[in-house]
Amino acid sequence: MATLLDLLETSVARYADRPALGVLRDDGSRMTWTYRELDHRARLAAWRLRALGLEPGDRLLTWSPSTPELPAVYFGAIRARLILVPLDLRMAPETVERIVARSGARHLAIGTGREAPDPREAGLADFPQTTLEALVADPDPSFPPDWKAKLEAWERPRPDDVFDLIFTSGTTAAPKGVMLAHRNVLATLEAVHRTLPRMEHRVVSLLPLSHLFEQAIGCFYALDVGAHILYVRSRNPRLVFEALRSHRVTSMIVVPQILDLFWGAIEREVEASGRRATFERLRRLGRRLPFAARRSLFRRLHERLGGSLRLFVSSGAYLPPALQQAWEDLGVIVIQGYGSTEVGYGTCNTLADQGL
């Protein structure tokens, strides 16, 4: 596997009509794409991006909440040999303006909906832009009958091609662009494959795809192992927990703040039930048991989370040991990742003999 395009095509060949990407919208409705559909939408995006006049090596801004259309446009840009410049929804307008100027981007692929950004706030009202939905829409009359054959004849990306230009602050105030080639990210995925367990992955995604952590692990790795990824557009705790249950989540990519928020919700329920002493006693007992037995011990709690939660991968900030221990008392492994956008991903603990 030389490039991320190879990764997608291999996954489509392996998993074809299995669910790949879905979204839970604010109104509770859902949309799901299979691996085959994701590939089709990515090809549509690739054709339209080239039809806009973008050439290999041109920079494409992406600015959107997480939704299935966003990875489709990522893979479309990769097929068209463009360079992605992901923008974070939380960036200040002046930061966005600076990134647009420094990146030399020629076009903006922008999301829609209540949580979508307003390009006018960053001085981008007149910047060339197309919605993600328009890029991945069904073919229109502008498509020639042989567009698929012509697309297949395009030169494919090479391992050392830069495909991602991520602006990150690191320890400084002004974000600097980090150039990532296919080879960089695939090396990261090799390390992840050696670390994470072989298991069925049903993922609920809450982190932004503009960050390498979610891109590499929550998207590229997840698709490589045939995961079913559900994006949740709402931050309403009730809807998030409903998504965990209905998706029967097995694994999540998180930052410590999310682990803390989830744990706080559990503790409030325990407190309200008047079973604090029993809960703490069971935690002490569970700590001495295999992980499968711990999940059985806290079966009712796990049922509230979908009944299948096995794994958190946490990174991006300091993870308090007591918080990690709390989740592992319940039978949920917490892998702590470390690294930087410039060098990729590593781990500080292992799953050896954890009994997942």
Side-chain angles (χ1 to χ4, degrees):
M1 189 182 298
T3 71
L4 291 168
L5 185 57
D6 298 320
L7 182 151
L8 175 62
E9 292 177 345
T10 300
S11 293
V12 173
R14 286 175 178 167
Y15 311 119
D17 295 317
R18 282 171 53 173
L21 302 174
V23 61
L24 176 65
R25 301 186 179 95
D26 291 337
D27 61 5
S29 64
R30 294 193 184 215
M31 180 269 282
T32 302
W33 284 349
T34 64
Y35 279 81
R36 198 188 308 276
E37 183 74 7
L38 168 61
D39 182 52
H40 175 60
R41 298 297 168 180
R43 290 168 186 265
L44 290 165
W47 183 266
R48 284 194 170 96
L49 288 168
R50 285 282 187 91
L52 288 168
L54 298 175
E55 300 290 341
D58 283 345
R59 281 82 188 274
L60 174 70
L61 298 163
T62 59
W63 203 11
S64 173
S66 294
T67 182
E69 289 87 353
L70 189 53
V73 169
Y74 282 178
F75 281 111
I78 287 169
R79 186 177 286 278
R81 296 178 57 215
L82 307 179
I83 297 175
L84 295 161
V85 185
L87 298 174
D88 192 304
L89 293 175
R90 297 169 297 179
M91 285 176 171
E94 57 270 20
T95 301
V96 172
E97 291 184 64
R98 185 163 54 246
I99 290 173
V100 172
R102 295 191 64 185
S103 68
R106 292 191 53 203
H107 203 86
L108 168 64
I110 191 163
T112 58
R114 185 170 59 83
E115 294 182 340
D118 184 348
R120 294 172 298 183
E121 295 179 356
L124 298 178
D126 298 322
F127 193 86
Q129 56 194 268
T130 310
T131 66
L132 299 179
E133 288 83 353
L135 288 171
V136 305
D138 290 334
D140 56 60
S142 70
F143 280 62
D146 59 347
W147 73 273
K148 292 181 180 179
K150 289 183 175 180
L151 183 146
E152 287 295 337
W154 291 356
E155 183 179 353
R156 292 175 67 87
R158 297 179 292 267
D160 290 323
D161 284 351
V162 173
F163 79 95
D164 221 358
L165 181 60
I166 297 181
F167 280 79
T168 176
S169 298
T171 56
T172 63
K176 298 176 176 61
V178 175
M179 297 182 294
L180 294 169
H182 294 270
R183 193 188 300 274
N184 295 127
V185 175
L186 289 174
T188 291
L189 298 190
E190 287 182 17
V192 176
H193 274 290
R194 292 194 297 268
T195 304
L196 300 188
R198 294 184 179 276
M199 56 181 277
E200 180 182 6
H201 289 284
R202 292 186 299 278
V203 179
V204 170
S205 174
L206 300 177
L207 299 183
L209 278 164
S210 55
H211 290 197
L212 180 61
F213 182 41
E214 185 67 18
Q215 270 188 41
I217 317 303
C219 182
F220 299 138
Y221 169 80
L223 293 174
D224 193 26
V225 297
H228 181 188
I229 305 165
L230 178 68
Y231 298 114
V232 181
R233 294 291 291 265
S234 174
R235 289 299 173 263
N236 181 313
R238 182 184 61 81
L239 288 177
V240 171
F241 276 95
E242 174 55 33
L244 301 181
R245 286 191 292 272
S246 62
H247 197 56
R248 296 178 53 244
V249 64
T250 64
S251 31
M252 291 186 69
I253 313 301
V254 296
V255 292
Q257 182 186 24
I258 292 177
L259 285 179
D260 191 40
L261 287 171
F262 284 4
W263 185 255
I266 290 173
E267 287 198 314
R268 286 191 295 274
E269 277 202 21
V270 169
E271 201 67 49
S273 71
R275 296 173 56 85
R276 165 66 71 179
T278 301
F279 182 71
E280 294 300 333
R281 186 166 60 252
L282 291 176
R283 278 186 58 192
R284 290 192 295 272
L285 172 61
R287 206 170 297 171
R288 298 176 173 84
L289 299 175
F291 275 77
R294 300 182 198 188
R295 289 191 291 274
S296 179
L297 191 65
F298 289 96
R299 183 178 63 258
R300 290 184 181 177
L301 191 153
H302 277 273
E303 288 172 354
R304 299 287 299 276
L305 299 173
S308 301
L309 183 60
R310 299 285 190 277
L311 176 69
F312 285 120
V313 181
S314 174
S315 189
Y318 170 71
L319 175 63
L323 181 59
Q324 178 176 347
Q325 183 64 64
W327 281 103
E328 295 198 341
D329 289 345
L330 306 186
V332 182
I333 288 289
V334 182
I335 290 287
Q336 183 176 191
Y338 65 88
S340 67
T341 303
E342 292 84 351
V343 300
Y345 172 88
T347 60
C348 65
N349 56 355
T350 176
L351 284 178
D353 302 321
Q354 296 288 15
L356 281 181

